[in-house]
Amino acid sequence: MASIRWKILLAFFLIVGLSFFVAATTLTGLVSDYLFDQRTRDDSMKTEKLALAAAPLFQSVSANELNDMLEENAVSMDGRLMLIDNDGKIQYDTFQNLCGQRVQVDEALRVLSGDAAEAYGIHAPGRAVVEEMSGESGADYVAYSVHEMTGFQGRIGAALYVSRVQSLMDSLQTVRMRLVSVFAIIAVAALVVALILSRVLTNPITAVSRTMRKMGKGDLSVRVPVKGSGELRELAENYNTMAAQLESLDKTRNQFVSNASHELKTPLATMKIMLESMIYQPDMPAEVRTEFMKDINHEIDRLTGIVTDLLVLTRMDNREEMKRESVNMSELTLETIHLLTPAAEQRRQTLAEDVRQDIVLYGDRSKLGQILYNLTDNAIKYTPEEGTIRVSLKQEDGRIIWRVKDNGIGIPKDDQEHIFERFYRVDKARGRETGGTGLGLSIVRQMVKMHGGTISVYSEPGQGSEFVVIFPQEGAAP
Ligand SMILES: Nc1ncnc2c1ncn2[C@@H]1O[C@H](COP(=O)(O)OP(=O)(O)OP(=O)(O)O)[C@@H](O)[C@H]1O
Ligand SMILES: [Mg+2]
């Protein structure tokens, strides 16, 4: 399978390997071109000089003089020299043994046919031939350099210089071998580096994906080890943050579901008991029956309330859109107080207000109303008869502040930090009696947050409680 690891490896290897391969071949090419050029020029020049010097002697028949001259040159040029006439017959040969024979060298034939004034070529005709031609044993290469000899009537023959090129070929071979071995070393090094690099690069990714697989199977507690630095470290950290978030979300959700089902079960169980007693006691007195029906009706109301609250909460979880508008907070506060006045009156409580006029907040009207309603409703519920509840609306330092203060039963210090949690009630038994589910304040907190505000509670058991909601004036959500 083509994993990132292998891709990195391959890419790295290809880049390093190919570029070095190209560099090496170019370099060898350049070196050999240079060496060959130099050699060709050298040999051709020598041959030309020889042809020039030999031509006059070749015409006059001073064989001895010519022989001496050739011998001398053969030593200084370190090679075999031959002079060939226009018919291709070898007239002089410093090795002597080819004298009188027809020349077989291509370059010489070319010059003699008139195609070129000079010719040069390196050949590998087999070791035996090489040894026979150049006298060099164990050599694979031999070079022929030919130049025409001219007299007054034009070409009179050609000079052939057989030179030894084995050492040149050897040094080229050495250069080549060296480059190949350097190439091999670099290739191996590149491979090793690529291996290490790809491992370093992919290990964290593999770790994350392994962890993700585990998480996918349902284990939300797994974390990626955070190692190294840079982006990969960040990847691991971010992943862990996300995992932690998921885990806590999962926990909260589970808790929420179990709390919710518990809350729903209780009224259902109560209703079932009442219904069963009505079924199995057909001769139940009519008043008792009516009483039971009223109770059942009440339970249904409670259930409806809980379900409504749950819906509100889940909708807010889904980041339900806010319908923002300019809300006259002064009016809204008075309206809400008006709504709750009958409930307070029933308990012979004083519901006092201290509302500054013309305070406007840009926010969601129904949510803002719900916030104050829930707080005031709590104040009424958790304050004994004939108590006093005070609702105020102020604007201070550009912030809009609601205060709901009662002189009721208050909230123990230990419970204060929990009352905003879903389903949290200070007194579980009392909650059921008064019809509370413990969702009111969590809804309040959520809605306050959506408006970019904060909520705090100040309370003393037996003395009363005060809830303070502060909005930044713009009512901007975060
Ligand atoms: N003004 C208050 N005085 C004393 N205790 C309070 C006051 N407001 C809230 N509490 C405590 O905080 C708990 C949580 O309040 P919350 O409004 O969330 O739930 P609830 O009133 O019990 O039920 P719900 O509002 O969902 O019908 C209450 O059960 C109560 O114990
Ligand atoms: Mg409440």
Side-chain angles (χ1 to χ4, degrees), residues 373-375 377-379 381-382 436-441:
Y373 185 97
N374 283 8
L375 292 178
D377 174 58
N378 279 350
K381 266 200 296 191
Y382 303 112
T437 12
L439 288 174
L441 284 180

PDB file of all heavy atoms in Angstrom, residues 373-375 377-379 381-382 436-441, ligand 2:
ATOM      1  N   TYR A 373     -38.016  35.803  33.796  1.00  0.00           N
ATOM      2  CA  TYR A 373     -39.149  35.014  34.280  1.00  0.00           C
ATOM      3  C   TYR A 373     -38.651  33.896  35.194  1.00  0.00           C
ATOM      4  O   TYR A 373     -39.137  33.717  36.304  1.00  0.00           O
ATOM      5  CB  TYR A 373     -39.937  34.435  33.098  1.00  0.00           C
ATOM      6  CG  TYR A 373     -41.194  33.712  33.527  1.00  0.00           C
ATOM      7  CD1 TYR A 373     -42.436  34.355  33.501  1.00  0.00           C
ATOM      8  CD2 TYR A 373     -41.142  32.385  33.973  1.00  0.00           C
ATOM      9  CE1 TYR A 373     -43.591  33.709  33.912  1.00  0.00           C
ATOM     10  CE2 TYR A 373     -42.308  31.737  34.388  1.00  0.00           C
ATOM     11  CZ  TYR A 373     -43.523  32.398  34.351  1.00  0.00           C
ATOM     12  OH  TYR A 373     -44.653  31.755  34.767  1.00  0.00           O
ATOM     13  N   ASN A 374     -37.652  33.148  34.727  1.00  0.00           N
ATOM     14  CA  ASN A 374     -37.145  32.015  35.516  1.00  0.00           C
ATOM     15  C   ASN A 374     -36.579  32.477  36.854  1.00  0.00           C
ATOM     16  O   ASN A 374     -36.805  31.841  37.882  1.00  0.00           O
ATOM     17  CB  ASN A 374     -36.063  31.266  34.738  1.00  0.00           C
ATOM     18  CG  ASN A 374     -36.661  30.384  33.660  1.00  0.00           C
ATOM     19  OD1 ASN A 374     -37.857  30.436  33.404  1.00  0.00           O
ATOM     20  ND2 ASN A 374     -35.822  29.571  33.013  1.00  0.00           N
ATOM     21  N   LEU A 375     -35.826  33.577  36.835  1.00  0.00           N
ATOM     22  CA  LEU A 375     -35.210  34.063  38.073  1.00  0.00           C
ATOM     23  C   LEU A 375     -36.280  34.510  39.066  1.00  0.00           C
ATOM     24  O   LEU A 375     -36.220  34.183  40.252  1.00  0.00           O
ATOM     25  CB  LEU A 375     -34.237  35.215  37.766  1.00  0.00           C
ATOM     26  CG  LEU A 375     -32.983  34.836  36.981  1.00  0.00           C
ATOM     27  CD1 LEU A 375     -32.138  36.076  36.692  1.00  0.00           C
ATOM     28  CD2 LEU A 375     -32.152  33.809  37.757  1.00  0.00           C
ATOM     29  N   ASP A 377     -39.446  33.656  39.061  1.00  0.00           N
ATOM     30  CA  ASP A 377     -40.237  32.469  39.424  1.00  0.00           C
ATOM     31  C   ASP A 377     -39.556  31.715  40.555  1.00  0.00           C
ATOM     32  O   ASP A 377     -40.192  31.306  41.535  1.00  0.00           O
ATOM     33  CB  ASP A 377     -40.372  31.592  38.179  1.00  0.00           C
ATOM     34  CG  ASP A 377     -41.056  30.276  38.486  1.00  0.00           C
ATOM     35  OD1 ASP A 377     -42.180  30.312  38.981  1.00  0.00           O
ATOM     36  OD2 ASP A 377     -40.426  29.213  38.231  1.00  0.00           O
ATOM     37  N   ASN A 378     -38.234  31.561  40.454  1.00  0.00           N
ATOM     38  CA  ASN A 378     -37.474  30.902  41.531  1.00  0.00           C
ATOM     39  C   ASN A 378     -37.596  31.690  42.825  1.00  0.00           C
ATOM     40  O   ASN A 378     -37.839  31.120  43.898  1.00  0.00           O
ATOM     41  CB  ASN A 378     -35.992  30.805  41.163  1.00  0.00           C
ATOM     42  CG  ASN A 378     -35.722  29.634  40.243  1.00  0.00           C
ATOM     43  OD1 ASN A 378     -36.598  28.799  40.033  1.00  0.00           O
ATOM     44  ND2 ASN A 378     -34.511  29.567  39.701  1.00  0.00           N
ATOM     45  N   ALA A 379     -37.404  32.999  42.715  1.00  0.00           N
ATOM     46  CA  ALA A 379     -37.453  33.844  43.912  1.00  0.00           C
ATOM     47  C   ALA A 379     -38.789  33.658  44.627  1.00  0.00           C
ATOM     48  O   ALA A 379     -38.832  33.542  45.855  1.00  0.00           O
ATOM     49  CB  ALA A 379     -37.227  35.299  43.521  1.00  0.00           C
ATOM     50  N   LYS A 381     -40.815  31.033  44.313  1.00  0.00           N
ATOM     51  CA  LYS A 381     -40.938  29.647  44.787  1.00  0.00           C
ATOM     52  C   LYS A 381     -40.135  29.394  46.065  1.00  0.00           C
ATOM     53  O   LYS A 381     -40.558  28.652  46.939  1.00  0.00           O
ATOM     54  CB  LYS A 381     -40.418  28.683  43.696  1.00  0.00           C
ATOM     55  CG  LYS A 381     -41.508  28.158  42.790  1.00  0.00           C
ATOM     56  CD  LYS A 381     -41.097  26.883  42.071  1.00  0.00           C
ATOM     57  CE  LYS A 381     -39.940  27.097  41.125  1.00  0.00           C
ATOM     58  NZ  LYS A 381     -39.716  25.930  40.248  1.00  0.00           N
ATOM     59  N   TYR A 382     -38.950  29.991  46.115  1.00  0.00           N
ATOM     60  CA  TYR A 382     -38.059  29.665  47.236  1.00  0.00           C
ATOM     61  C   TYR A 382     -38.055  30.739  48.320  1.00  0.00           C
ATOM     62  O   TYR A 382     -37.089  30.869  49.066  1.00  0.00           O
ATOM     63  CB  TYR A 382     -36.646  29.385  46.715  1.00  0.00           C
ATOM     64  CG  TYR A 382     -36.671  28.251  45.693  1.00  0.00           C
ATOM     65  CD1 TYR A 382     -36.404  28.474  44.351  1.00  0.00           C
ATOM     66  CD2 TYR A 382     -37.025  26.969  46.102  1.00  0.00           C
ATOM     67  CE1 TYR A 382     -36.473  27.449  43.428  1.00  0.00           C
ATOM     68  CE2 TYR A 382     -37.112  25.938  45.185  1.00  0.00           C
ATOM     69  CZ  TYR A 382     -36.828  26.187  43.842  1.00  0.00           C
ATOM     70  OH  TYR A 382     -36.924  25.159  42.950  1.00  0.00           O
ATOM     71  N   GLY A 436     -40.445  21.863  40.643  1.00  0.00           N
ATOM     72  CA  GLY A 436     -39.215  22.218  39.912  1.00  0.00           C
ATOM     73  C   GLY A 436     -38.490  20.997  39.378  1.00  0.00           C
ATOM     74  O   GLY A 436     -38.536  19.920  39.956  1.00  0.00           O
ATOM     75  N   THR A 437     -37.819  21.164  38.261  1.00  0.00           N
ATOM     76  CA  THR A 437     -37.032  20.063  37.685  1.00  0.00           C
ATOM     77  C   THR A 437     -35.542  20.353  37.753  1.00  0.00           C
ATOM     78  O   THR A 437     -34.721  19.500  37.467  1.00  0.00           O
ATOM     79  CB  THR A 437     -37.358  19.864  36.186  1.00  0.00           C
ATOM     80  OG1 THR A 437     -38.111  20.957  35.721  1.00  0.00           O
ATOM     81  CG2 THR A 437     -38.054  18.576  35.964  1.00  0.00           C
ATOM     82  N   GLY A 438     -35.176  21.584  38.059  1.00  0.00           N
ATOM     83  CA  GLY A 438     -33.751  21.935  38.100  1.00  0.00           C
ATOM     84  C   GLY A 438     -33.203  22.303  36.734  1.00  0.00           C
ATOM     85  O   GLY A 438     -31.996  22.300  36.524  1.00  0.00           O
ATOM     86  N   LEU A 439     -34.103  22.646  35.792  1.00  0.00           N
ATOM     87  CA  LEU A 439     -33.618  23.042  34.462  1.00  0.00           C
ATOM     88  C   LEU A 439     -33.626  24.552  34.286  1.00  0.00           C
ATOM     89  O   LEU A 439     -32.890  25.100  33.452  1.00  0.00           O
ATOM     90  CB  LEU A 439     -34.487  22.402  33.379  1.00  0.00           C
ATOM     91  CG  LEU A 439     -34.314  20.905  33.184  1.00  0.00           C
ATOM     92  CD1 LEU A 439     -35.345  20.383  32.192  1.00  0.00           C
ATOM     93  CD2 LEU A 439     -32.908  20.582  32.700  1.00  0.00           C
ATOM     94  N   GLY A 440     -34.448  25.221  35.093  1.00  0.00           N
ATOM     95  CA  GLY A 440     -34.644  26.667  34.926  1.00  0.00           C
ATOM     96  C   GLY A 440     -33.356  27.462  34.868  1.00  0.00           C
ATOM     97  O   GLY A 440     -33.130  28.221  33.925  1.00  0.00           O
ATOM     98  N   LEU A 441     -32.479  27.267  35.846  1.00  0.00           N
ATOM     99  CA  LEU A 441     -31.251  28.073  35.890  1.00  0.00           C
ATOM    100  C   LEU A 441     -30.265  27.709  34.784  1.00  0.00           C
ATOM    101  O   LEU A 441     -29.525  28.567  34.321  1.00  0.00           O
ATOM    102  CB  LEU A 441     -30.590  27.958  37.267  1.00  0.00           C
ATOM    103  CG  LEU A 441     -31.265  28.773  38.390  1.00  0.00           C
ATOM    104  CD1 LEU A 441     -30.534  28.591  39.709  1.00  0.00           C
ATOM    105  CD2 LEU A 441     -31.306  30.257  38.025  1.00  0.00           C
TER     106      LEU A 441
HETATM  107 MG    MG B   2     -36.619  27.391  38.615  1.00  0.00          MG
END
